[in-house]
Each structure stands twice: as structure tokens, then as C-alpha cells.
Amino acid sequence: MKSISIFKIVSMIILLGLTIFFIFPFYWIASGSFKLQDVAITIPPEWWPSTPTLENYEKLFTSNTLRWFFNSVFISVMTTFLVCATSALAGYALAKKNFPGVKIIFMVFVAAMALPKQVILIPLLNLITEFNLMNTYYALILPAVGWPFGVLLIFSNTPDMSTLPLGLAALAQGQEFSNDYGLLMAGASLASLPMIIVFICFQNYFTQGVTLGAVKG
């Protein structure tokens, strides 16, 4: 039987500690979503809800949560698709094709990436308003396609057009409900669920992407 070195034992202990450290916030949010307000804020805290309840999720789904969730998924998918498509075509043209003005266009792209978001925010907002695109999916998707860094989801001021993070921010600020921490944890659990599912389904690709540029010794 091959002996286990001290280094491997220490490494496993450190990795186990880091795993618990990073997973614990997700556990705390998930378990807190099944607690009522008086239990969620009690000190010392309950590490596991003694009387779990679905009341927080019932409150959550009586609001615009499903609409917020749909907005987040739809805007994310459409923006990702359009950005990847336009960026790939533009990158190929700039890298492989030699046409008049290619260097000027490349310099404009680089200059646009160097500009802070705040510089073009107000002109972009005025443009969206002039075209009557405020509170529409076009205003939330198209600016991200034409801007190298994308744009904050700020071109909406109605609850129906809010995305899930904005809706949860409204909950935290007490605009929709009081500061019910169990309710907020239920919303945070719902918001993190798509990311967790995507990571689990495509974790091999994430790992390959991280190690793709690694240099072997």
C-alpha cells in the first residue's frame, strides 16, 4: 500500500477547509430561506431550521418574481448570443481582413473600451428615450451588443421590466416588502439556482478553459 505523505494530508485538510468556507454561505442562505423572520434574526442563530416553512417562497411567488426570473434569463441568453455573434464576426474581420479604415476602426474599439461607463451613460439614456425604447427588452439588450463592456440594466424603471437582481434589491430596500431576511434569502436562493445549474452542467468546460493556457513543467 502506497504511503500518504504529510504534504498530501495537509493539502487535503486545507482544501476541505476551503470547500466548507466557500459552500457555507450557500448553505446559510438556503437554510435561512426556510426560516421565519423571528427565527432568521435570532441570536444565537439556528444552524438548521427547527420548524422549516415554505411561507417565504409563498410570499416570493406572489410578487413579480416569476416575471423577474424570466426577464433575467431572457435578457442574459439574448445578450450572450448577440454579443458572441457580433464579437466573433467583428473580431474575424479586424484580425483577418485588410480593408480601408481597418486600423481606425480598431483604434475606435480600443478607445471605447478605455472610456468609463459613466461617460456615455447619459447620452445613451437620452438616445434610448428619444427612440421610445425605455422599459423595453430592446433597451436592455441592444446597448450591451454595441458596447464592448455591456451596460448596466438601468433602462427600466417599472417592476415588470426588472431583472431578478434588481427585484431582490428592491426587496432589500423595503420597496416591495419590509426587510424580511427569510424572504430575502429565499429570493437569493432562487437567483443563485440558475448559475449553480449551469456550472454543474458545464463544469468540465469551465475546467478546460482555466487549464487551457496552463504551461506544463
Side-chain angles (χ1 to χ4, degrees), residues 23-76:
I23 290 180
F24 181 76
F26 294 100
Y27 163 77
W28 188 252
I29 291 174
S31 62
S33 65
F34 296 98
K35 300 176 184 177
L36 294 177
Q37 172 71 352
D38 55 346
V39 180
I41 62 176
T42 186
I43 298 177
E46 287 188 356
W47 298 104
W48 180 261
S50 57
T51 54
T53 178
L54 294 176
E55 184 175 334
N56 294 319
Y57 289 96
E58 293 175 357
K59 291 181 181 179
L60 193 65
F61 284 103
T62 55
S63 62
N64 291 329
T65 305
L66 292 179
R67 181 59 185 264
W68 298 339
F69 189 84
F70 171 79
N71 290 342
S72 296
V73 173
F74 179 75
I75 293 172
S76 299

Side-chain angles (χ1 to χ4, degrees), residues 122-175:
I122 295 178
L124 186 59
L125 181 60
N126 291 335
L127 187 64
I128 293 295
T129 305
E130 288 293 330
F131 280 96
N132 295 322
L133 296 178
M134 196 69 175
N135 295 317
T136 64
Y137 290 116
Y138 298 104
L140 298 174
I141 296 174
L142 294 181
V145 177
W147 191 6
F149 289 146
V151 68
L152 298 176
L153 298 167
I154 63 169
F155 299 117
S156 65
N157 52 20
T158 59
D160 289 341
M161 292 302 301
S162 296
T163 56
L164 192 57
L166 293 178
L168 294 178
L171 294 182
Q173 295 172 3
Q175 296 176 4

Side-chain angles (χ1 to χ4, degrees), residues 92-103:
Y92 177 81
L94 292 175
K96 299 296 184 180
K97 300 297 181 180
N98 188 12
F99 55 90
V102 61
K103 293 184 178 179

